[in-house]
Amino acid sequence: EADIYQTPRYLVIGTGKKITLECSQTMGHDKMYWYQQDPGMELHLIHYSYGVNSTEKGDLSSESTVSRIRTEHFPLTLESARPSHTSQYLCASSETGAGIYEQYFGPGTRLTVT
Amino acid sequence: AQSVTQLDSQVPVFEEAPVELRCNYSSSVSVYLFWYVQYPNQGLQLLLKYLSGSTLVKGINGFEAEFNKSQTSFHLRKPSVHISDTAEYFCAVSTISGGYNKLIFGAGTRLAVHP
């Protein structure tokens, strides 16, 4: 069973607030990812990281930012939340190496901005 | 660019009936294919994967999928479904680009199992 955690699971917050979504994994994976998923839609990659101090933007443009100061921790921050940020955010990680490895997903954070 | 098409957005089926969830992909290079399941209010869980070798892949919970290169398909099957199989199922294709293991997901198929 994958050991990847996300907090909070649900968050309702007002427009303009700063928020941080937490993601942690205990598997020692170097690669971590953030996806955005709207209801009934596919997942879109918004950020990824190969390791500490490495972060890249994904395929879907996002106003959020990420940091990777520790291997196990990959938080996502929105400086000023807007209703358009309402979505589910999923964090994932995968093994290091040149091969193809499956990604392990956390339970997600469902964000609602009012 | 790679893409994944899940041909059915919803599949209703009665309990103990067989089911097939269809997935087609487009790619000009080697492909690695995955099926994930998402139960309500949860993250994604890997059902099975195809990396190489036998084209028939067996996964967890009695699911299996067949990789068909000529038809660029990777359909998911189960011979007899249970109520507990009700969930969203995502097909995904993976490739390595610049050392980055990238997953591209289909839009998902909602499987609804009725008693």
Side-chain angles (χ1 to χ4, degrees), chain A:
Chain A
E1 188 170 330
D3 296 324
I4 181 163
Y5 309 98
Q6 291 185 244
T7 57
R9 292 291 314 276
Y10 304 92
L11 179 61
V12 180
I13 201 163
T15 297
K17 300 293 186 182
K18 177 180 179 178
I19 59 170
T20 296
L21 308 185
E22 302 287 349
C23 175
S24 295
Q25 49 95 6
T26 59
M27 297 173 283
H29 290 168
D30 280 338
K31 295 177 182 174
M32 296 189 73
Y33 313 84
W34 275 103
Y35 291 88
Q36 185 173 341
Q37 182 187 27
D38 292 325
M41 303 294 287
E42 64 265 51
L43 284 72
H44 291 287
L45 183 72
I46 51 175
H47 299 283
Y48 62 97
S49 168
Y50 287 167
V52 172
N53 295 325
S54 157
T55 61
E56 300 287 344
K57 290 194 176 293
D59 300 324
L60 182 68
S61 176
S62 174
E63 294 169 341
S64 59
T65 59
V66 293
S67 62
R68 192 86 183 277
I69 299 173
R70 304 197 315 265
T71 297
E72 65 271 21
H73 194 213
F74 191 39
L76 180 146
T77 299
L78 276 165
E79 290 291 334
S80 179
R82 295 208 301 264
S84 60
H85 297 140
T86 294
S87 189
Q88 173 156 260
Y89 294 84
L90 291 164
C91 180
S93 70
S94 66
E95 293 183 42
T96 304
I100 297 287
Y101 302 103
E102 65 261 34
Q103 294 182 13
Y104 295 90
F105 284 81
T109 294
R110 188 169 296 279
L111 173 65
T112 303
V113 183
T114 61

Side-chain angles (χ1 to χ4, degrees), chain B residues 4-11 21-24 35 73 75 108-109:
Chain B
V4 176
T5 302
Q6 291 185 242
L7 297 154
D8 307 294
S9 60
Q10 296 185 57
V11 174
L21 306 184
R22 296 179 294 168
C23 173
N24 286 92
W35 274 100
S73 68
H75 300 334
T109 296

Side-chain angles (χ1 to χ4, degrees), chain B residues 1-31:
Chain B
Q2 291 184 328
S3 65
V4 176
T5 302
Q6 291 185 242
L7 297 154
D8 307 294
S9 60
Q10 296 185 57
V11 174
V13 64
F14 287 108
E15 194 174 19
E16 298 183 6
V19 71
E20 178 181 80
L21 306 184
R22 296 179 294 168
C23 173
N24 286 92
Y25 66 91
S26 66
S27 175
S28 59
V29 296
S30 298
V31 291

Side-chain angles (χ1 to χ4, degrees), chain B:
Chain B
Q2 291 184 328
S3 65
V4 176
T5 302
Q6 291 185 242
L7 297 154
D8 307 294
S9 60
Q10 296 185 57
V11 174
V13 64
F14 287 108
E15 194 174 19
E16 298 183 6
V19 71
E20 178 181 80
L21 306 184
R22 296 179 294 168
C23 173
N24 286 92
Y25 66 91
S26 66
S27 175
S28 59
V29 296
S30 298
V31 291
Y32 309 94
L33 296 156
F34 302 80
W35 274 100
Y36 283 86
V37 60
Q38 185 178 32
Y39 298 104
N41 300 315
Q42 294 187 28
L44 276 68
Q45 179 183 3
L46 182 69
L47 273 178
L48 48 81
K49 61 185 177 184
Y50 171 79
L51 303 182
S52 64
S54 173
T55 57
L56 184 62
V57 181
K58 293 189 181 299
I60 62 171
N61 301 340
F63 284 93
E64 63 181 32
E66 185 157 18
F67 171 60
N68 188 320
K69 188 174 182 179
S70 62
Q71 297 186 9
T72 61
S73 68
F74 190 55
H75 300 334
L76 181 71
R77 303 186 184 100
K78 186 169 183 178
S80 176
V81 295
H82 303 289
I83 295 288
S84 60
D85 292 323
T86 295
E88 189 89 18
Y89 291 79
F90 291 94
C91 182
V93 62
S94 178
T95 187
I96 293 181
S97 175
Y100 158 44
N101 180 5
K102 179 177 181 177
L103 272 181
I104 297 170
F105 288 87
T109 296
R110 183 170 298 276
L111 176 64
V113 182
H114 302 285

